[in-house]
Amino acid sequence: MNRLFVLWQSVIGKKVAMAASGILLVGFLISHMASNVLVFVDPAKLDAYAHWLRGFGPLLWVARAGLLALVGIHIVAAYQLTQAARAARPQDYAKAERRVSTYAARTMRWGGVLIAVFVVYHILHFTTGTLHPDFRDGEVGANLIRGLQVPWTAAFYAIVMVAIGAHFWHGIWSVFQTLGLNHPAWNRTRATLAVGLTVLVAGGFLSMPLAALFGLLR
Amino acid sequence: MHFDAKIPAGPLDAKWARHRADLRLVSPANKRKFHVIVVGSGLAGASAAASLAELGYQVSCFCFQDSPRRAHSIAAQGGINAAKNYQNDGDSVERLFKDTIKGGDFRSREANVYRLAQVSVNIIDQCVAQGVPFARDYGGMLANRSFGGAQVSRTFYARGQTGQQLLIGAYQALERQIGLGTVTMHTRHEMLDVVVVDGTARGIVVRDLVSGEVSSHAGHAVVLGTGGYGNVFYLSTNAKGSNVTAAYRAYKRGAGFANPCFTQIHPTCIPVSGDYQSKLTLMSESLRNDGRVWVPLRQGDTRAPRDIPEAERDYFLERKYPSYGNLAPRDISSRAAKEACDDGRGVGPGGRGVYLDFADAIARLGEDTIRERYGNLFDMYAQITGENPYQAPMRIYPAVHYTMGGLWVDYNLMSTLPGLHVIGEANFSDHGANRLGASALMQGLADGYFVLPYTIGDYLAGTTLAPVDTSHEAFRAAEAGVRAATQRFLDIKGTRTADSFHRELGLLMWEKCGMARDRAGLEEALRRIPELRAEFWSNLKVLGTADTLNQALEKAGRVADYMEFAELMCRDALEREESCGGHFRTEHQTADGEAVRDDAHFAHAAVWEYQGEGATPRRHQEELDFDFVKLATRSYK
Amino acid sequence: MKLTLKVWRQAGPAASGEFKTYAATANEHMSFLEMLDVVNEDLQSRGEEPIAFDHDCREGICGSCSLVINGAPHGPKRGVTTCQLHMRSFADGDEIVIEPWRAKAFPVLRDLVVDRSPFDRIIQAGGFVSVPTGAPPDGNAIPVPKEQSDRAMDAAACIGCGACVAACPNASAMLFTSAKVAHLALLPQGQPERYRRVLAMVNAMDEEGFGGCTNFGECEAACPKEISIEHIALLNRDYLRAALRDRAGAPAAAGVM
Ligand SMILES: Cc1cc2nc3c(=O)[nH]c(=O)nc-3n(C[C@H](O)[C@H](O)[C@H](O)COP(=O)(O)OP(=O)(O)OC[C@H]3O[C@@H](n4cnc5c(N)ncnc54)[C@H](O)[C@@H]3O)c2cc1C
Ligand code: HEM
Ligand code: HEM
Ligand code: SF4
Ligand code: F3S
Ligand code: FES
């Protein structure tokens, strides 16, 4: 325990915490995306899946709490690292040239904030239904479809999914570097993996709001 | 001035062992009571400071750079010699000893050189243990290359950055001690005077280059590892900050200065490209293995090199030294190039350059082989000149590289000023009149790791030193002197910068006291230097104040010392009526331009004693006896 | 060629600095620092104090020179230091903005001169092998595979110039620190202190107030010795191992924030 605390206190430790929480969140999103695309097959299947999940009762809440904790850790670490970075360069350059860092890398912070905002809205939208035009308990699939029928909502989803794609892409590449898993041998694999996962998850998610926008999802 | 080399008795190979056994020791408990001041954090200074601190002494170390790791030693490329005989090619301590004595043209002290060869083997072990990544073979064993002046492969190297890697090793050892609190490091501090109390060196005066504050530090012994003075010529391969100031101020306080005229000119450097030129860059000697040196036959031939037909080229080294050809030793090749240029046949801007042509080698071996052998050097050349040496021949010209002269020291590395020890390039060294490649790194580390730590203990144990601190009037006086001198530069308010004076002095020295010297030229220099110095003191312009970071002010102080030191160099060159090693007097040469030594009259080190402002210094002699190698002439025909 | 220089001038550590504009003439054979030498001669002839900048070897090895040129530490060319940069990399009429390294850990001392002593303190914390001068084993007693010593050499090529910190958007010193950690971790001689070293050096780094690494890769692009960020991964790995194993004698990490 003490060791983890010591670790957390160092800049590298915080990065490791971000990486660890990040990976688990990636895991969640993969399963989440996988289950959601069921709507293309048959909304009822998604309902069933959701119902099956509800079956776990308390366990589900444990999982939710876990997710929340992960996002919490991830955000706190991100915030503190950002503060540290700001403090480390009180005066910026009059002219700064960025040579190699990708746009994705440089937007990790705001991209993250956007995700956070999205998640809150998203839960009020699909889980509690608070912000849903016409929310019916249990009809997860139908809720999803009706929810995305609203053009600006679908558009917003689409945009966020792109932001998440960027976050993913740098994030997954970055994880290996942060955890020191970068043998020259599989550095290429590592880059491909980052792109692959990004396309899969972001693409999968993106498909839904887009389908809705173009009236393919009804 | 009284001086005694303190060479131990007994057979050559037993001297050092015997001496170590006889040296007095300081008990561990007492070591803590002794405070040693080390000026310089190069290979010599850093290794000494770290080793002394490990032994338990209190150490203060000073350097003018912002970090000890930046000392000029970092620039060394080629490698470091050691008589390891790993290549089984018949190397031995004796052989390294003989090569060094002969390479030095029989103007160095046998006992010191032998000791140097003996400890050379420990240096490599020490550095490897520190993590210096020397080049290795596939079997995991240390690799060697051969270097000038030797028939064996005894040079250890780390890519083209041997000096850097060795210095980082010493620097890490030093930083470790700083972390342990046994060494107090003062970076960006320039030493400006030695403080002498009752005839012994007891401290130094320094200026904090950031705040401008002048302060003094007291100790039981002072060690100078402040490097060489090649920059007296303004243009040299030395770092811009390298200076004679520390050594020269010590000389003014009573330390004898030996053989100041012994300077080494390296034949293969990138030539001057314009009057804005600030320093010269070395191109490794190894290039001469495959490059052919030539100039046009006709004077003022401005055609592009490739347009000049074979018949109209003069491969002067091959012509003059058929057997050695392009591999003739440093001093000889340098002079030959100079003659060609003096003859109006030099190439490139200002006609101060000769071609180093790889066309034949490329035709013979193919561009890839050449790239493999010299790729990094070719890139460096292209980087600086913007020319592609694979297509056009390189232009090279000799440049000042190293100074064999320095403060005189005895076998214990102590100068004629008791308590003041001098190590590395700053002392008059074991290289005599000419240093072999890869031997300076060896000497710096030998002095710092394996010699001084023993001998300084003997001094401290054997001398009763009254306790003094910086409140002592000698310190007060020295500090006041430094403050006054510093202010003086600012008060002249003339029209010329120190840099412009330095350039003028450098050019004069290069022409009159450079590669080839003669009486007339030296006498002229001795007339003109005082004139230039007079103008310096009446027309110098230094802006700003003394209580800030003021680089122009630092520069002025260094140039002021060069202005006086240059005169000492010329005087020494004038008095030495012979040609030996780096010192070539045109009056003393054979019909075919070979150096003619005069062992009957000059088999000695000339030691100069300061006689006060304006007075002519006194010349003393340390006779050099050669009991183990016999004097012979070097011939490269 | 005619150039317009916008140079950061700052009288001292406490003073507040500003950009000053100077006209400069150069030719393409000059090195960048020689161009500044000429500007300085000119300034002094006009009674203005010369621009202060660090430099010594002027051949790319001592790590003294340190200028941010048009937003790029050591200028536009890859793999060279400022002192090796030549004016042929610029064109007639260019405007060149010259700034000092900017980082909280590297305070400006004057004009373009900064204080890089934090690097020395990072080395003090553990960037060494504890072998007192004496009689270590023979240099060949421990064979080191060529590949291994070559990799160590790649890391050891770092000249401690600080361009990595200057280039990093987080002003992180990870590349410098990782280069030293890797240099010693890759050699048998570095093994005994391997984990103690990495903990100590990272703590020292954090205490100096450098930012963290978010894998931007700008440091590698600015590094005159082209030190690879692979070393940062190695540093992270060793640090993780060390922190989790909590090797005996490992100093407890100090808080950063
Ligand atoms: C380009 C080049 C390549 C070389 N290559 C080789 C090679 O391959 N092999 C080889 O054996 N030799 C080589 N040499 C020679 C060798 O590098 C030097 O002779 C040797 O490194 C000198 O080391 P040092 O410790 O005596 O002095 P330096 O390394 O010059 O250190 C001098 C120290 O003294 C300090 N100092 C100086 N003056 C003052 C002052 N007034 N106040 C405070 N501090 C001061 C400096 O800050 C510095 O720390 C080369 C030299 C050059 C120029
Ligand atoms: C479920 C959504 C999220 C996933 C899957 C995710 C994933 C990741 C991953 C894998 C990394 C790489 C960590 C590393 O560099 O080792 C990362 C970095 C980052 N994340 Fe997230 N993240 C998510 C949400 C967030 C949120 C909500 C924020 C902030 C509000 C955020 C901010 C950041 C930042 C700033 C980084 C870069 C930090 C660094 O590289 O050091 N992320 N994220
Ligand atoms: C087009 C993209 C997405 C769609 C269509 C979608 C759809 C849904 C739906 C229908 C639910 C309700 C499930 C249920 O009540 O059982 C849900 C819950 C959730 N979604 Fe999404 N989602 C998308 C993207 C995301 C993203 C990118 C994140 C995270 C960054 C995310 C995080 C969540 C969370 C945390 C929940 C709550 C799960 C729970 O009930 O505990 N979703 N999503
Ligand atoms: S890593 Fe590169 S940029 Fe950083 S200090 Fe070392 S050499 Fe300079
Ligand atoms: S640029 Fe900075 S973020 Fe890391 S990869 Fe280099 S230190
Ligand atoms: S001045 Fe030495 S690296 Fe630039």
Side-chain angles (χ1 to χ4, degrees), chain A residues 15 18-19 22-23 25-26 29 71 74-75 78 81 108-109 112-113 115-116 167-168 171-172 174-175 178, chain C residues 213-215:
Chain A
K15 259 322 283 288
M18 296 206 64
I23 296 172
L25 289 170
V26 169
L29 282 196
V71 177
H74 198 78
I75 294 182
L81 281 172
M108 283 310 264
R109 288 161 189 161
V113 173
I115 301 174
H167 196 91
F168 247 61
I172 292 167
S174 183
V175 160
T178 302
Chain C
C213 172
T214 56
N215 306 322

Side-chain angles (χ1 to χ4, degrees), chain C residues 39-79:
Chain C
V39 171
N40 276 341
E41 276 289 320
D42 181 52
L43 282 175
Q44 291 173 88
S45 66
R46 286 191 275 111
E48 274 188 67
E49 285 194 59
I51 303 160
F53 58 87
D54 268 322
H55 67 98
D56 199 21
C57 75
R58 293 206 178 189
E59 53 187 72
I61 194 70
C62 75
S64 295
C65 59
S66 54
L67 304 180
V68 175
I69 300 161
N70 285 337
H74 290 308
K77 248 169 154 290
R78 282 239 182 174

Side-chain angles (χ1 to χ4, degrees), chain A residues 28-29 32 36 46 49-51 53-54 60 63-64 67 115 118-119 122-123 126-128 135 140-141 143-144 148 157-158 160-161 164 204-209:
Chain A
F28 162 76
L29 282 196
H32 187 52
N36 286 343
L46 182 52
Y49 168 76
H51 190 72
L53 274 180
R54 297 280 189 287
L60 178 61
R64 288 174 168 171
L67 269 183
I115 301 174
F118 165 81
V119 172
H122 180 60
I123 291 177
F126 281 137
T127 312
T128 65
F135 186 81
V140 177
N143 285 342
L144 192 170
L148 292 182
Y157 267 77
V160 173
M161 293 314 124
I164 284 179
F205 276 134
L206 204 47
S207 67
M208 288 172 269

